Amino acid sequence: MVQEVLINDDDYYVPDANQLVTEDDTSVDNFASAKQQRLLVTSLYSSLQSQTFLAEANVGIYYTDLQPPIVPDVFLSLDVQVPEKWWEKQNRCYMVWRFGKPPEVVLEIVSNKEGDELGKKRQIYEHMRASYYIVYDPNQQLGEKVLRVYELRGTRYFETSETWLEQVGLGVTLWEGEFEGRQDHWLRWCYQDGNVLLTGDERAEQERQRAEQERQRAEQAEQRTQLLADRLRAMGVDPDTL
């Protein structure tokens, strides 16, 4: 928690990073959430390599002084990156006053009814002014909706049925398939055409399949050439002289 110690830095008061608890060794609550977080974060880094952004799971966000951080399951912040000296105290977590902006997207994965994702957490993210707040509730702990998307309009969140996040140029979609050996339903980032952002493993598999198709096409072409040569020879024509 931020202590009531402030320093003056070029006429702006910012909390003293040495007084912040930037990590408390609290582990993620379950295997499913950990794997889902990993899918969301890794697919961003494998698919958006030409863009500058910061995406993380279970990293604290300090959004104001005199308040403890909030720790979203996943967040995405555009046009920022981790400072080079990331082991320094002031660089270990996301301090809004240092990055100059809140994340555009914060996301919570519901695993029980104790997280207050639709109450206190929503209020905090609204106050923090994150452009989008996404609540993924795979086991429908909070009601019938598996996915809720809130968009900041002015100073308030409004729930929307739109899963395309216009301000970040990405969407979210529910997807059934295999990730890290686990077949299940997952929440994934997607492009506007609905295609999901691929993980590194998926890209490697896609390349392997493409290479295999090329090998098969080359083999078939060689077989056709050999068949034609055999027919020419049967007709008394030497194909090497053509």
Side-chain angles (χ1 to χ4, degrees):
M1 181 173 178
V2 182
Q3 302 296 316
E4 292 188 41
V5 177
L6 300 177
I7 60 175
N8 188 289
D9 182 11
D10 295 331
D11 297 327
Y12 291 94
Y13 283 97
V14 296
D16 182 356
N18 291 320
Q19 301 294 328
L20 306 181
V21 178
T22 56
E23 56 274 312
D24 61 8
D25 296 324
T26 300
S27 61
V28 69
D29 54 356
N30 60 72
F31 291 121
S33 292
K35 198 174 286 287
Q36 174 65 81
Q37 291 164 1
R38 200 154 53 246
L39 172 58
L40 288 167
V41 172
T42 59
S43 61
L44 285 169
Y45 281 104
S46 64
S47 295
L48 304 180
Q49 297 180 16
S50 63
Q51 297 186 33
T52 300
F53 65 90
L54 175 57
E56 275 302 340
N58 283 328
V59 171
I61 300 175
Y62 277 97
Y63 57 97
T64 188
D65 66 299
L66 307 182
Q67 293 295 327
I70 188 165
V71 186
D73 285 317
V74 175
F75 73 78
L76 168 63
S77 187
L78 303 178
D79 301 318
V80 301
Q81 54 189 344
V82 177
E84 182 177 349
K85 297 180 179 179
W86 61 4
W87 283 112
E88 291 185 357
K89 185 76 171 178
Q90 68 270 19
N91 296 330
R92 292 185 185 180
C93 60
Y94 196 104
M95 301 179 189
V96 171
W97 55 87
R98 291 190 65 83
F99 285 94
K101 57 185 283 293
E104 277 77 14
V105 183
V106 288
L107 188 148
E108 295 287 352
I109 302 166
V110 180
S111 56
N112 53 52
K113 297 181 180 180
E114 309 303 319
D116 203 16
E117 286 84 3
L118 303 182
K120 182 63 174 178
K121 284 186 179 177
R122 185 175 66 181
Q123 293 173 4
I124 290 174
Y125 292 132
E126 184 179 73
H127 175 70
M128 190 171 71
R129 299 186 63 78
S131 300
Y132 298 98
Y133 173 41
I134 298 171
V135 180
Y136 178 45
D137 186 8
N139 293 313
Q140 298 173 294
Q141 298 278 345
L142 306 181
E144 295 183 359
K145 293 183 179 180
V146 173
L147 183 64
R148 293 176 173 86
V149 178
Y150 296 90
E151 181 179 15
L152 190 68
R153 300 173 187 170
T155 60
R156 293 287 179 266
Y157 273 142
F158 291 86
E159 187 172 1
T160 175
S161 59
E162 180 60 64
T163 56
W164 175 250
L165 314 179
E166 183 68 33
Q167 296 183 53
V168 297
L170 288 172
V172 288
T173 186
L174 299 175
W175 177 84
E176 183 177 1
E178 183 176 319
F179 173 62
E180 293 183 347
R182 180 77 183 200
Q183 183 75 23
D184 211 328
H185 292 85
W186 307 93
L187 179 67
R188 299 198 62 165
W189 303 103
C190 66
Y191 300 104
Q192 199 159 17
D193 61 6
N195 288 322
V196 298
L197 275 65
L198 299 180
T199 65
D201 287 344
E202 287 171 333
R203 286 185 175 279
E205 176 60 20
Q206 193 177 71
E207 287 300 316
R208 188 197 66 78
Q209 292 179 3
R210 184 180 295 112
E212 177 63 19
Q213 290 170 357
E214 288 294 330
R215 186 194 66 78
Q216 291 177 358
R217 281 195 289 267
E219 189 176 87
Q220 291 168 359
E222 184 178 352
Q223 290 173 351
R224 288 193 296 269
T225 300
Q226 185 61 47
L227 179 60
L228 177 59
D230 291 344
R231 288 178 178 176
L232 288 171
R233 290 190 181 95
M235 298 169 58
V237 178
D238 184 356
D240 294 333
T241 64
L242 299 178

